[in-house]
Amino acid sequence: MLAAMPPTPPPTPRPGEARIRDRGDACPGALRLHPADDGRLARLRLPAGCLTVRQVEVLARAAETLGDGRISITSRGNAELRGLGEGCGAELAGLLAGADLLPSPTHERVRNIVASPGAGLDGLGYADVQLWARALDTALCAEPRAASLSGRFLFLLDDGRGDVAGLGGDVSLIAGPEGSALLRLGSHAFRLAAADAVRAALTAALAFLDAAEAAGNGAWRPRELPDAHVPDWAGALARSGITAEPVPVPPLPASPPPAPGPLGAHALHVLAPLGRLTAAQLRALADGAGELRFTPWRGVVVVGAAADRLPGLETHGLVTRPDLPSVGVSGCTGRPGCAKSLADVRADAGLVHRGGLPVHYSGCERRCGHPHGTWVDVLATGDDTYLVDGVPTPRTSLPEAVTTARSLPTHTR
């Protein structure tokens, strides 16, 4: 069930050419562990980022007993365990399966579903897309062909507020008024009934697999298909009995991520410092909660918690207020966990600077985990040197340089 995977960077296509994938997708999973300098890495897909309190305890225990005691939150709201031992795969799989975190061993890497984390909690949005996420996960796991999707293929479910619609989905559903939904597929869009939304998303994913098989270039995502092999989206929907009206692709709805703090009357949004939680912090978040939802902004929505819990969570080192300097700051693993990294970027990201644009610290040019949209690019070029949006900057000058870059208007970048 387990396999180690060396990095396999794909060939770079010429301008205008489709990418050719001559190797299988090596994206890590919960059953396919990735070797790193700090041990093995497991990536656990959490559709819509959801965890029950029982699952939280299992995840915390796995981090403590098998890994380095921490849980990383990815830019898709998934969870990563690091520092895993060489022979722990079977034990980890058993723990996760016992907590219903592995509903399908054959599909565990394709359950990439991001949904508006505040859906159903704060009165915003047109539909509770968290319910869509659960239904889509069930449908994915029940469809044998869906196991052929890449571990990078992404479903986005936006409740209409625009918080996740722009995160680079391959199949995006955006809830609309009066029981409608917009299915967005790259440069194509269809208006359909919300009742058909989940079935339409799965149909679109299978249509991509048909096109990828015909193209023969090993595409992992629709944008990698040659121009002559665009999926027959409309035909696939019609053959599935889904009434879908082709419409011009509208601008993406866009709203900023929720600030740390209350989310409606009975939920909180809390950020994990640099996207990592200790097992103790994870347990503190779950204490008295109904469920947790990991977010694509490397935070956690605590369902069933009121604002009076925020001071206690802040004492655990969690980011609970929008005025804290660490809001919007992320970083790759860096040294010592990654052999490719040129610096301990997490230590350097801890240098204090004021808020503004998101900022991401990268240990090498791969820029793993960087945010979508406009962000400040802090790239290590050596132990004590960086590029801040392309400008050479010594490590000692990072706070000032990043503060200045974060404050620049978007149109000047």
Side-chain angles (χ1 to χ4, degrees):
M1 296 176 72
L2 304 174
M5 305 169 300
T8 54
T12 301
R14 296 176 183 175
E17 289 186 351
R19 184 182 294 276
I20 296 176
R21 300 285 191 182
D22 57 359
R23 300 179 179 88
D25 172 23
C27 197
L31 301 179
R32 178 186 283 184
L33 307 187
H34 179 79
D37 269 21
D38 57 349
R40 301 273 166 163
L41 177 153
R43 184 174 299 156
L44 177 61
R45 269 63 175 187
L46 303 175
C50 288
L51 286 165
T52 66
V53 173
R54 172 172 169 260
Q55 289 170 336
V56 165
E57 176 54 36
V58 169
L59 192 58
R61 190 162 71 249
E64 287 177 325
T65 60
L66 303 177
D68 64 3
R70 294 177 179 270
I71 301 93
S72 297
I73 304 176
T74 76
S75 59
R76 293 181 169 188
N78 291 320
E80 284 186 352
L81 300 176
R82 301 189 66 96
L84 297 168
E86 184 76 25
C88 76
E91 184 177 357
L92 175 63
L95 281 173
L96 298 177
D100 298 323
L101 287 168
L102 287 177
S104 172
T106 55
H107 292 66
E108 62 100 0
R109 294 191 310 133
V110 306
R111 302 167 67 228
N112 291 303
I113 304 171
V114 172
S116 296
L121 298 176
D122 56 5
L124 301 179
Y126 292 109
D128 186 352
V129 293
Q130 293 283 324
L131 301 178
W132 293 6
R134 295 172 199 169
L136 178 56
D137 184 35
T138 299
L140 269 176
C141 292
E143 171 53 60
R145 287 195 63 214
S148 299
L149 291 169
S150 160
R152 292 166 170 79
F153 195 94
L154 177 61
F155 296 90
L156 290 180
L157 311 180
D158 192 298
D159 67 1
R161 74 182 70 200
D163 58 344
V164 302
L167 298 183
D170 299 296
V171 173
S172 298
L173 286 169
I174 303 172
E178 300 177 353
S180 68
L182 181 75
L183 174 64
R184 189 180 178 115
L185 305 162
S187 59
H188 296 75
F190 300 87
R191 184 74 61 186
L192 44 86
D196 292 327
V198 169
R199 197 155 54 94
L202 180 59
T203 297
L206 298 179
F208 160 71
L209 288 177
D210 290 337
E213 183 178 351
N217 70 328
W220 294 345
R221 309 183 74 177
R223 61 174 175 260
E224 297 176 356
L225 291 169
D227 291 341
H229 290 276
V230 175
D232 179 15
W233 306 117
L237 292 167
R239 288 188 294 273
S240 294
I242 298 171
T243 301
E245 176 192 1
V247 296
V249 179
L252 283 170
S255 66
L263 191 65
H266 304 290
L268 307 173
H269 182 221
V270 177
L271 297 179
L274 291 176
R276 299 199 80 188
L277 296 168
T278 65
Q281 287 173 326
L282 186 61
R283 289 189 176 104
L285 287 165
D287 185 22
E291 70 175 16
L292 300 186
R293 299 176 183 176
F294 284 8
T295 78
W297 312 291
R298 295 182 169 86
V300 183
V301 169
V302 186
V303 180
D308 58 5
R309 285 203 57 203
L310 287 169
L313 293 175
E314 188 167 340
T315 65
H316 284 275
L318 296 160
V319 182
T320 62
R321 294 182 282 116
D323 59 342
L324 296 174
S326 51
V327 173
V329 180
S330 60
C332 70
T333 297
R335 287 181 178 170
C338 178
K340 293 184 179 293
S341 182
L342 300 176
D344 184 353
V345 294
R346 288 182 170 270
D348 295 342
L351 301 174
V352 176
H353 34 69
R354 293 193 302 274
L357 285 171
V359 55
H360 186 73
Y361 288 74
S362 303
C364 75
E365 292 185 353
R366 294 185 302 168
R367 295 175 171 84
C368 294
H370 70 77
H372 287 267
T374 304
W375 47 281
V376 178
D377 179 30
V378 185
L379 175 65
T381 55
D383 282 326
D384 296 303
T385 56
Y386 281 83
L387 296 176
V388 177
D389 283 343
V391 178
T393 305
R395 179 182 180 275
T396 53
S397 300
L398 277 178
E400 297 81 5
V402 173
T403 296
T404 299
R406 294 189 85 180
S407 66
L408 289 176
T410 302
H411 68 268
T412 67
R413 307 180 67 78

